Amino acid sequence: MAKKPAPDSTRRSEKSRRAIYAAALALVSETGYAKTTIEGIAARAGVGKQTIYRWWSSKADVLLEAFLDLGEQAAERAGQSGQETYGIPDTGDLAADLKQVLRATVDELLDPAFEAPARALTAEGFVNEEVGREFVAKLLEPQLQLYVQRLRSAQETGAVRPDVDPRIALELFVSPLAQRWLQHTGPITHAYTDTLVDYALYGLAPR
Amino acid sequence: MAKKPAPDSTRRSEKSRRAIYAAALALVSETGYAKTTIEGIAARAGVGKQTIYRWWSSKADVLLEAFLDLGEQAAERAGQSGQETYGIPDTGDLAADLKQVLRATVDELLDPAFEAPARALTAEGFVNEEVGREFVAKLLEPQLQLYVQRLRSAQETGAVRPDVDPRIALELFVSPLAQRWLQHTGPITHAYTDTLVDYALYGLAPR
């Protein structure tokens, strides 16, 4: 059975919501977190500021959801949906699965639509501990937990040593990519993240 | 033969220089990079702004040297000096040498005198690419190159595989610590950095 079309009011709300997200991400990219205001977002989105306050309690809330929506849109374009959005594949080949996800992350980090607002928010999080902790707890840590799950599954099949702490282990390939992206300390390529996975899994010392 | 005392003018300069560094680090900690000015540094240090302009061309220059001086002071307190300041020990035991340096880095990152200005500058570097590249080139990368040297030495003795790229390899233990410090994604302890070294050298996969 075909889905019933949304009533007019819902469609209007959906359109406003997307306009508000776009305005929030554009403003934080252009002026930074500190200068982004609910009033500014409302003006740019062409809505009254009461519309924003009806749905969100702060600019941090608006931005958080704008980012979650950006991730969902990217996943939809990639042909994923729902639960799968943030899943890490489990084909039984740990190295291949990690390389695939990190290559997709490289593409996202190099996408200007994601890069500028993500960078502005991350920078704010470094000096504003409250904002930092909020975004880490709601955006970053849930993504890292997917690596934890994948590494646990690899421990069950014997691909990762049983005494390894998965929450620390994932940092060996996730953190180097994050630092290169944030500090421009080196190029970000698929070859680079492939190398990180190989070094992390097999170690720097001879086997 | 005892060292001849410095003439009065040199001692005055040295005192002014240290006062200027302290003022610059305090201001960037308290107000961030953007609001720190040469005028503000001069006022806080109790010198004329021409004194600052005589020695440095920009606030970025002052801060860069203030950080280098902070590192030298820490090294002096630790009983090191000159060339050894930034050296990584080479006892022949790679794991032990890396653990020692990373434990010292943990102590530095948790030292308030270093933490606040370092965090403010790092945050600025994420949104201001010019500042970021300057500080990476003059402060961060020279430190990372010391790990490159130590890993090359380990390749010569067979402790690290010959096909490993040392510039990428060092990121497996340096970047996770940097990310935890910057994003508060987990505790920073000696046990944590010891674990990073073990995972990086011996790998996550069973041997």
Side-chain angles (χ1 to χ4, degrees):
Chain A
M1 202 174 90
K3 258 175 94 177
K4 204 171 134 189
D8 271 5
S9 67
T10 306
R11 270 186 285 157
R12 265 203 306 276
S13 294
E14 175 67 16
K15 205 177 146 194
S16 297
R17 197 172 57 86
R18 281 279 158 92
I20 290 164
Y21 289 156
L25 293 171
L27 274 179
V28 82
S29 304
E30 292 164 17
T31 67
Y33 181 86
K35 290 184 187 158
T36 298
T37 60
I38 294 276
E39 287 73 11
I41 296 170
R44 183 145 177 164
V47 303
K49 70 177 181 177
Q50 286 314 315
T51 302
I52 297 185
Y53 281 119
R54 196 163 59 229
W55 293 332
W56 298 282
S57 60
S58 67
K59 69 176 174 180
D61 267 358
V62 181
L63 282 164
L64 178 68
E65 292 199 10
F67 262 94
L68 290 170
D69 186 64
L70 204 60
E72 281 167 25
Q73 287 180 57
E76 277 166 26
R77 281 197 305 275
Q80 301 174 315
S81 67
Q83 276 293 92
E84 293 165 52
T85 301
Y86 294 111
I88 290 178
D90 191 348
T91 65
D93 181 342
L94 177 63
D97 293 346
L98 294 176
K99 286 176 184 177
Q100 184 189 322
V101 174
L102 287 167
R103 284 173 173 225
T105 306
V106 165
D107 296 343
E108 187 179 49
L109 293 176
L110 297 177
D111 175 359
F114 173 88
E115 150 128 47
R119 192 176 286 280
L121 271 176
T122 306
E124 179 69 16
F126 293 150
V127 287
N128 182 335
E129 197 166 329
E130 194 186 331
V131 167
R133 288 195 188 276
E134 166 107 353
F135 280 87
V136 165
K138 295 194 179 161
L139 281 174
L140 180 58
E141 193 60 34
Q143 292 183 315
L144 298 184
Q145 285 300 318
L146 301 172
Y147 286 102
V148 169
Q149 289 166 26
R150 183 65 187 85
L151 291 170
R152 285 219 180 99
S153 152
Q155 284 176 315
E156 282 162 23
T157 64
V160 166
R161 285 187 279 124
D163 59 314
V164 159
D165 178 339
R167 181 59 188 78
I168 295 177
L170 67 90
E171 298 176 43
L172 270 69
F173 38 85
V174 167
S175 299
L177 176 59
Q179 186 171 33
R180 283 200 177 200
W181 177 67
L182 283 166
Q183 300 197 286
H184 307 284
T185 44
I188 291 177
T189 64
H190 291 180
Y192 166 65
T193 50
D194 285 0
T195 299
L196 290 175
V197 170
D198 288 331
Y199 288 3
L201 291 184
Y202 308 114
L204 307 175
R207 289 195 160 235
Chain B
M1 203 174 90
K3 258 175 95 178
K4 203 171 132 190
D8 271 6
S9 67
T10 305
R11 271 185 283 158
R12 266 204 306 275
S13 294
E14 175 66 18
K15 205 176 145 194
S16 297
R17 196 173 59 85
R18 279 280 159 92
I20 290 164
Y21 290 156
L25 293 171
L27 274 178
V28 83
S29 304
E30 291 164 16
T31 66
Y33 182 86
K35 291 183 187 158
T36 297
T37 61
I38 295 275
E39 287 75 10
I41 296 169
R44 183 143 178 166
V47 302
K49 71 178 182 178
Q50 286 315 314
T51 302
I52 298 185
Y53 281 119
R54 194 164 62 229
W55 293 332
W56 298 281
S57 60
S58 67
K59 68 176 175 182
D61 266 359
V62 181
L63 282 164
L64 178 68
E65 293 199 11
F67 262 94
L68 291 170
D69 185 64
L70 204 60
E72 281 166 25
Q73 286 181 58
E76 277 166 27
R77 281 197 304 275
Q80 301 175 316
S81 67
Q83 274 295 91
E84 295 165 52
T85 302
Y86 294 113
I88 291 177
D90 190 349
T91 65
D93 182 341
L94 178 63
D97 292 346
L98 293 176
K99 285 175 185 178
Q100 184 189 324
V101 174
L102 287 167
R103 284 172 174 226
T105 305
V106 165
D107 296 343
E108 187 179 51
L109 293 176
L110 296 177
D111 175 358
F114 174 88
E115 152 129 46
R119 192 177 285 281
L121 271 176
T122 306
E124 179 69 17
F126 293 150
V127 287
N128 182 334
E129 197 165 331
E130 195 186 330
V131 168
R133 289 195 189 276
E134 167 106 353
F135 280 86
V136 166
K138 295 192 178 162
L139 281 174
L140 180 58
E141 192 61 35
Q143 292 183 315
L144 299 184
Q145 286 300 318
L146 301 171
Y147 286 101
V148 169
Q149 289 166 27
R150 183 64 188 85
L151 290 170
R152 285 219 180 99
S153 153
Q155 284 177 315
E156 281 161 23
T157 64
V160 166
R161 285 187 278 123
D163 59 314
V164 159
D165 178 339
R167 182 58 189 76
I168 296 178
L170 67 89
E171 298 176 42
L172 270 69
F173 39 84
V174 167
S175 299
L177 176 58
Q179 186 171 31
R180 283 200 177 199
W181 178 67
L182 283 166
Q183 300 196 287
H184 306 284
T185 44
I188 291 177
T189 65
H190 291 181
Y192 166 66
T193 50
D194 284 0
T195 300
L196 289 174
V197 170
D198 288 331
Y199 289 2
L201 291 184
Y202 308 113
L204 308 176
R207 290 195 159 235

